[in-house]
């Protein structure tokens, strides 16, 4: 029996959320805004905490700094009892400043401070990768080095390419070597279906999921020609902050998929979890539970 349902690799950091009147800021020396808040965040954190909240046996590994931000991350995971192991990186903990407007839309200013030469030693990650049923790889450069070991151990891999344009070679490695590929439609436009099909045809993906925010999400399965559309689930409360919605979608999708559910059900539950996240301030402050997810799935009409 596997030690973990899922190993999440990379993607812990701190988000500083600044609520602004609009994403087009005026030319001024100062703009008065509501209190600026820091949150434990970033994509791996969202997937790991989301899976953990849904009851999956989750392990999370990453580099963080020996700084106040790293200490905040460690403290949060102790509080929620998320199994987290880390190595100290001298350049510090990754950060983002996210501008969020009145409609909940965001602009993220990402600080990818870790050096391109960074590598995680195999003797650190192999004890977790081999025993895991599945691994979710964040798109940091050093994480790509783990694909060969995942393949050798028979561990399936998912990844989130975020706003990939379908061309950038950094993301392409993750796109073509993962078994499940998530991405945003933000930079794809009319090329959405073409890029999704190329991922399946050129790589090993069994499914590609393109998330489109309020416009729902799209699914392409290997062996099928149709790109299927799934509507966005209606949030229980008004949309206040879209930070973390995609990560919540991924976590709920993986929970269903690892539980043996169909891709259709996984898409539905991902939509529900994404909508749940949009109704909460902050990046990853609350996660949908299994009970709420299953109850909401009964009324989903997408």
């Amino acid at each position: 029996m596997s030690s973990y349902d899922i190993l999440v690799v990379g993607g812990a950091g701190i988000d500083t959320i600044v609520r602004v009147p609009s994403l087009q800021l005026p030319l001024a020396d100062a703009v008065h805004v509501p209190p600026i808040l820091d949150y434990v965040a970033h994509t791996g954190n969202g997937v790991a905490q989301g899976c953990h909240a849904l009851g999956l046996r989750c392990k999370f590994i990453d580099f963080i700094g020996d700084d106040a931000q790293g200490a905040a991350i460690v403290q949060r995971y102790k509080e929620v009892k998320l199994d987290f192991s880390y190595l100290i990186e001298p350049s510090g903990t990754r950060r983002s400043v996210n501008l969020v407007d009145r409609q909940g839309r965001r602009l993220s200013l990402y600080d990818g401070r870790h050096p391109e030469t960074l590598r995680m030693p195999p003797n650190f990650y192999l004890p977790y990768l081999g025993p895991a049923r599945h691994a979710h790889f964040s798109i940091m450069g050093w994480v790509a080095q783990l694909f060969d070991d995942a393949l050798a151990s028979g561990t399936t891999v998912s990844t989130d390419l975020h706003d990939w344009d379908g061309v950038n070679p950094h993301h392409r490695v993750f796109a073509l070597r993962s078994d499940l590929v998530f991405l945003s439609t933000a930079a794809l436009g009319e090329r959405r279906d073409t890029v999704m099909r190329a991922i399946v045809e050129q790589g090993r993906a069994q499914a590609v999921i393109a998330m489109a925010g309020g416009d729902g999400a799209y699914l392409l399965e290997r062996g099928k020609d149709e790109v299927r559309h799934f509507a966005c689930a209606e949030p229980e409360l008004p949309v206040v902050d879209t930070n973390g919605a995609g990560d919540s979608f991924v976590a709920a999708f993986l929970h269903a998929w690892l539980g043996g559910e169909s891709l259709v059900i996984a898409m539905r539950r991902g939509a529900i979890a994404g909508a749940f996240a949009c109704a909460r301030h902050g990046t990853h402050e609350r996660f949908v539970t299994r009970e709420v997810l299953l109850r909401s799935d009964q009324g989903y009409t997408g």
Side-chain angles (χ1 to χ4, degrees):
M1 183 177 179
S2 298
S3 301
Y4 307 104
D5 293 312
I6 182 167
L7 169 69
V8 178
V9 183
I14 296 292
D15 275 0
T16 298
I17 305 295
V18 184
R19 306 195 69 81
V20 296
S22 73
L23 296 181
Q24 292 287 343
L25 293 178
L27 292 174
D29 288 338
V31 177
H32 292 280
V33 298
I36 297 171
L37 302 174
D38 289 343
Y39 297 93
V40 174
H42 292 197
T43 183
N45 164 79
V47 174
Q49 286 209 69
C51 288
H52 178 65
L54 287 167
L56 292 175
R57 297 169 301 156
C58 182
K59 177 72 181 183
F60 187 19
I61 59 174
D62 198 5
F63 291 94
I64 59 174
D66 183 14
D67 48 28
Q69 291 74 31
I73 290 170
V74 172
Q75 180 60 33
R76 167 61 60 85
Y77 298 158
K78 285 182 179 178
E79 292 170 356
V80 301
K81 297 181 172 58
L82 173 63
D83 188 353
F84 179 58
S85 296
Y86 60 92
L87 296 173
I88 293 296
E89 166 50 38
S91 61
T93 302
R94 292 181 300 267
R95 303 193 65 176
S96 291
V97 175
N98 294 349
L99 308 182
V100 182
D101 70 8
R102 292 190 177 105
Q103 288 73 46
R105 296 172 301 189
R106 65 156 183 172
L107 171 64
S108 180
L109 307 174
Y110 177 66
D111 164 17
R113 66 176 64 203
H114 293 173
E116 294 184 3
T117 55
L118 184 65
R119 295 292 183 270
M120 181 171 278
N123 63 355
F124 180 80
Y125 67 76
L126 282 175
Y128 309 123
L129 181 62
R133 293 175 58 201
H134 180 74
H136 183 79
F137 285 3
S138 301
I139 56 171
M140 291 80 194
W142 61 266
V143 181
Q145 308 300 315
L146 278 65
F147 272 112
D148 287 342
D149 288 315
L151 183 64
S153 66
T155 303
T156 55
V157 175
S158 57
T159 195
D160 186 349
L161 307 177
H162 299 282
D163 58 347
W164 186 41
D165 60 3
V167 178
N168 190 319
H170 173 88
H171 301 70
R172 185 176 177 82
V173 175
F174 292 86
L176 301 187
R177 300 203 66 183
S178 298
D179 301 279
L180 292 174
V181 176
F182 299 86
L183 74 164
S184 165
T185 62
L188 300 180
E190 296 180 352
R191 297 180 298 118
R192 181 196 67 219
D193 291 4
T194 300
V195 171
M196 293 176 73
R197 289 194 171 97
I199 292 172
V200 171
E201 292 167 1
Q202 299 172 27
R204 57 180 289 121
Q206 297 303 304
V208 179
I209 301 92
M211 296 173 284
D215 293 327
Y218 299 84
L219 169 67
L220 177 63
E221 298 181 56
R222 178 172 292 278
K224 296 187 178 180
D225 294 328
E226 179 188 9
V227 176
R228 298 186 58 183
H229 176 254
F230 292 78
C232 181
E234 289 293 328
E236 298 176 0
L237 299 170
V239 173
V240 296
D241 194 333
T242 57
N243 283 293
D247 301 327
S248 292
F249 183 111
V250 171
F253 183 105
L254 292 176
H255 175 264
W257 183 72
L258 288 168
E261 301 287 1
S262 68
L263 290 174
V264 169
I265 291 176
M267 291 292 290
R268 292 201 323 238
R269 294 186 183 169
I272 292 164
F276 183 92
C278 289
R280 273 74 186 172
H281 285 288
T283 305
H284 298 122
E285 291 305 291
R286 285 189 65 193
F287 295 90
V288 69
T289 63
R290 182 176 181 274
E291 292 71 24
V292 171
L293 186 64
L294 297 183
R295 183 174 67 247
S296 300
D297 192 23
Q298 301 298 315
Y300 178 80
T301 59

